[in-house]
């Protein structure tokens, strides 16, 4: 008896599960699938992703081959996230092209390939979710930006530099002068005079 661990059977008609019973196994048989489904969970990266419940458009071709079913086509959905520089909302879309073989049970491909190296057909069903999750993750940017020249946030006060007044800057008080400033009642706000004096002494 084979010790191969079997993937749990997906529920038919839910999420990205496709029923291929009508396709048959004759090599060359094809079936077109065009549908829109709701994303069953958030799909993507920490900074940007397809949100759970968002519509995902599938335009796919299923083709029977000798070792399984070849799935090709496009998956498209809107994405939402935040700019990694200024944290403002970012929207976009994920458009991925799939080319994936799903192996028949007991086929040579299934018997000679590790479970994590190929997807499998279970009870005449194909579960596209793992394929879509991987493909979308590779398609989305690791560091999404609201625009290419985003200046980010001011490191001192956190204001968005895109909306800050012209010449926005902060005078930095050298911490070595903090005790002296407190002793003589100098305003705790950073002082360019103290910094300049230190520079002159050097």
């Amino acid at each position: 008896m084979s010790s191969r661990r079997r993937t749990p059977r997906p529920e038919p008609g839910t999420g990205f599960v496709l029923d291929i019973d009508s396709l048959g196994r004759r090599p060359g048989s094809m079936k077109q699938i065009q549908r829109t489904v709701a994303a069953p969970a958030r799909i993507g990266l920490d900074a940007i992703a397809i949100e759970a419940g968002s519509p995902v458009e599938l335009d796919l071709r299923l083709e029977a081959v000798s070792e399984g079913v070849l799935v090709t086509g496009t998956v498209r959905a809107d994405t939402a996230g935040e700019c990694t520089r200024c944290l403002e909302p970012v929207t976009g879309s994920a458009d991925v092209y799939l080319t994936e073989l799903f192996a028949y049970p007991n086929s040579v491909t299934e018997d000679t390939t590790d479970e994590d190296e190929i997807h499998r057909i279970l009870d005449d069903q194909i579960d596209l979710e793992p394929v879509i999750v991987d493909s979308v993750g590779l398609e989305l940017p690791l560091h999404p930006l609201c625009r290419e020249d985003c200046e980010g946030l001011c490191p001192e006060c956190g204001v968005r530099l895109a909306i800050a007044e012209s010449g926005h800057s902060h005078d930095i008080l050298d911490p070595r002068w903090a005790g002296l400033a407190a002793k003589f009642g100098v305003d705790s706000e950073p002082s360019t005079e103290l910094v300049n004096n230190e520079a002159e002494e050097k």
Side-chain angles (χ1 to χ4, degrees):
M1 180 181 293
S2 172
S3 60
R4 186 187 301 278
R5 180 170 56 86
R6 294 184 63 82
T7 304
R9 175 182 176 181
E11 291 297 322
T14 61
F16 300 116
V17 177
L18 308 179
D19 192 328
I20 62 166
D21 183 57
S22 62
L23 179 65
R25 290 201 178 191
R26 183 171 61 85
S29 297
M30 290 187 293
K31 179 179 180 180
Q32 291 290 139
I33 292 184
Q34 293 180 320
R35 67 172 64 164
T36 300
V37 300
R42 189 175 186 275
I43 301 172
L45 308 175
D46 289 341
I48 190 166
I50 301 169
E51 297 296 342
S54 297
V56 181
E57 299 172 9
L58 307 179
D59 187 358
L60 306 171
R61 184 179 74 175
L62 280 57
E63 181 179 359
V65 296
S66 59
E67 290 296 298
V69 173
L70 180 65
V71 179
T72 57
T74 58
V75 176
R76 184 194 179 282
D78 292 333
T79 59
E82 64 180 19
C83 176
T84 52
R85 289 183 186 169
C86 70
L87 307 182
E88 283 294 291
V90 172
T91 58
S93 64
D95 293 89
V96 299
Y97 186 82
L98 303 182
T99 301
E100 197 73 31
L101 175 67
F102 287 79
Y104 289 132
N106 303 316
S107 64
V108 174
T109 299
E110 184 189 49
D111 292 339
T112 60
T113 308
D114 291 338
E115 184 170 3
D116 59 354
E117 292 180 352
I118 196 168
H119 298 281
R120 291 167 167 74
I121 297 169
L122 297 176
D123 300 317
D124 289 325
Q125 294 169 19
I126 286 175
D127 186 4
L128 286 177
E129 185 172 351
V131 178
I132 293 174
V133 168
D134 290 344
S135 299
V136 170
L138 292 173
E139 175 72 15
L140 295 178
L142 288 173
H143 304 288
L145 301 175
C146 58
R147 63 174 191 271
E148 289 299 321
D149 61 348
C150 176
E151 299 178 82
L153 304 175
C154 172
E156 297 302 322
C157 67
V159 69
R160 285 177 56 214
L161 293 177
I163 62 173
E165 60 184 20
S166 178
H168 178 84
S169 63
H170 297 270
D171 295 323
I172 308 301
L173 174 64
D174 191 309
R176 292 172 294 177
W177 288 97
L180 186 61
K183 180 177 180 180
F184 289 96
V186 177
D187 193 340
S188 59
E189 290 296 316
S191 169
T192 53
E193 181 179 354
L194 290 175
V195 174
N196 291 336
N197 286 342
E198 181 188 32
E200 292 174 1
E201 291 176 359
K202 291 182 179 179

